[in-house]
Structure formats: structure tokens, C-alpha cells
Amino acid sequence: MPKPLPRIRRTWVAAWAVLCAAGTAATAALNASPAPGPSPGTSHEPVSAECAAYIAAVERELAKAAERAGEEGGVLAFTRVRTGAEDCDDELRDHLDGYR
């Protein structure tokens, strides 16, 4: 006949079993929940004509840089200052992050 487990060992085994069950239940709940939506700061509204033109210019520069990448190495940097223009930083960031 096997020796009975000491009380402290039974307590540890029971606590381990409870934690495993809780972890399994939490994993199942997270897998069943829908994916979170976009963050509140991002919008999928159409951008203004000025921002759309600016984004198109950035895309052209990126395409040119990609073509030159095979010929020469380097870093692409934008230094144009947009004075008096609409602030398109958020729209450009959303576009480059994949919100097309």
C-alpha cells in the first residue's frame, strides 16, 4: 500500500491543480473573445485632399527609394518642412501603419 502524502504536499498539489485549471479557463476565454477593434486615436475617415496629396508624395518617395535600394545603400529621410499646411501627421501614421 502506498504511503499517504504529507499534508503540505497535498496542499501544494491542490494549489497547482487549481492554478492550472484557472489558466486553462482564462486561455479558453481569451481565445473565444473577439479581436479588439482599432485604438480610439485612429480613425478610418477619409482624409482631406491636401493630406491625400502629401501621402501620395510620401508614397512616391518611398517607391523611388525602394528602386534605388538595389543600386546603393542608404537611409531615407524626409526633411521637407510644411509651413502653413494642414497637420497630416496622424493620417500619414495611420496610412503607414496599414490603415489604407
Side-chain angles (χ1 to χ4, degrees):
M1 186 156 121
K3 241 169 125 173
L5 292 173
R7 178 177 289 247
I8 190 74
R9 187 175 291 174
R10 282 187 300 221
T11 303
W12 278 108
V13 169
W16 179 80
V18 168
L19 286 175
C20 286
T24 302
T27 301
L30 287 173
N31 287 338
S33 67
S39 62
T42 61
S43 67
H44 296 290
E45 298 173 4
V47 296
S48 67
E50 186 177 353
C51 287
Y54 179 63
I55 290 171
V58 168
E59 287 290 330
R60 282 191 302 275
E61 291 297 319
L62 288 172
K64 286 180 192 175
E67 288 176 8
R68 289 190 304 251
E71 300 169 10
E72 58 191 54
V75 174
L76 177 64
F78 294 96
T79 59
R80 187 172 89 183
V81 177
R82 296 173 43 97
T83 57
E86 182 180 345
D87 181 23
C88 298
D89 291 342
D90 293 334
E91 289 86 354
L92 180 62
R93 188 173 297 113
D94 287 347
H95 178 77
L96 294 176
D97 282 344
Y99 296 108
R100 297 178 188 209

